[in-house]
Structures are given as C-alpha cells and as structure tokens.
Amino acid sequence: MKILESVEQLNEWKNKENVIMYFTAGWCPDCRVIEPVLPEIEEEFPAYTFIKINRDDFIEICQEHDVYGIPSFLAFSNGKETGRFVSKDRKTKEEIVDFLQGLS
C-alpha cells in the first residue's frame, strides 16, 4: 500500500490509475482492526493501487470528498469516482471485499 505524501501525488495517481483511497488515522481503533487484513485484500485486487491517507494530515482531501468517518474507502478510475464505502462504522474484511467486487 502506498502512503500519501502530498495532494499532488494523489491527483497524479487518481488521474492515471485505478485507485482505492483508504482513509485512516493513528488514533482510530476500527482502522487498527482491519489493517492486518488489508495486505490480503490488496493482493486479491491487483488491478487497483491502494493509497493510505491519514485523515489528520490531509483533512482537506477528506472534506473535498465528503469523507467524515473512518475507516473509509473511495475508488477512482481515470480521475472519476467509481465507488465509495464511507461511514464511521467498523468494516469487516468481507464488507470491504464485497465493495471492491462491486466495482468491476
């Protein structure tokens, strides 16, 4: 999983590739619960570039994309949003996989 370092980097990735933006924060207990399974999920969906976005570092990106709860996932393809799994609720591996399968 790539870790976002700048807004410019995100714009470049989301305009050129199929990306899954994963919004998280160090203090988020629900994020810690799913992080161990994310590498497995990433392996299952090689067509996507997964980008970890720390909401505390990039709050303006969260606001721009109406992400007010974490963990949350947004999918983009060639610069256009293709799906969102956004809420403040805890997510399971199965729910994340179902979301990603629904994108294709």
Side-chain angles (χ1 to χ4, degrees):
M1 184 170 299
K2 296 180 178 183
I3 297 173
L4 186 66
E5 295 174 10
S6 71
V7 173
E8 295 76 26
Q9 188 181 47
L10 178 64
N11 290 332
E12 184 177 314
W13 281 331
K14 81 177 187 182
N15 287 321
K16 290 184 181 170
E17 303 176 33
N18 292 323
V19 299
I20 302 296
M21 297 189 288
Y22 163 53
F23 292 88
T24 184
W27 51 263
C28 169
D30 292 339
C31 301
R32 299 290 80 75
V33 168
I34 63 167
E35 287 203 346
V37 299
L38 290 177
E40 296 168 28
I41 293 171
E42 201 173 351
E43 234 177 80
E44 220 177 303
F45 295 90
Y48 291 95
T49 299
F50 286 75
I51 303 166
K52 183 177 184 175
I53 301 173
N54 184 318
R55 68 153 309 274
D56 294 336
D57 295 337
F58 295 101
I59 194 71
E60 70 280 355
I61 293 173
C62 294
Q63 292 168 338
E64 179 183 327
H65 295 291
D66 295 321
V67 175
Y68 297 105
I70 55 173
S72 286
F73 298 84
L74 286 182
F76 274 80
S77 181
N78 299 317
K80 295 193 185 320
E81 184 177 319
T82 56
R84 58 177 38 232
F85 187 18
V86 176
S87 71
K88 62 179 176 41
D89 300 325
R90 179 174 285 184
K91 283 130 183 101
T92 65
K93 178 182 178 182
E94 293 76 22
E95 289 173 326
I96 298 165
V97 168
D98 285 347
F99 162 68
L100 294 170
Q101 287 173 336
L103 296 173
S104 45

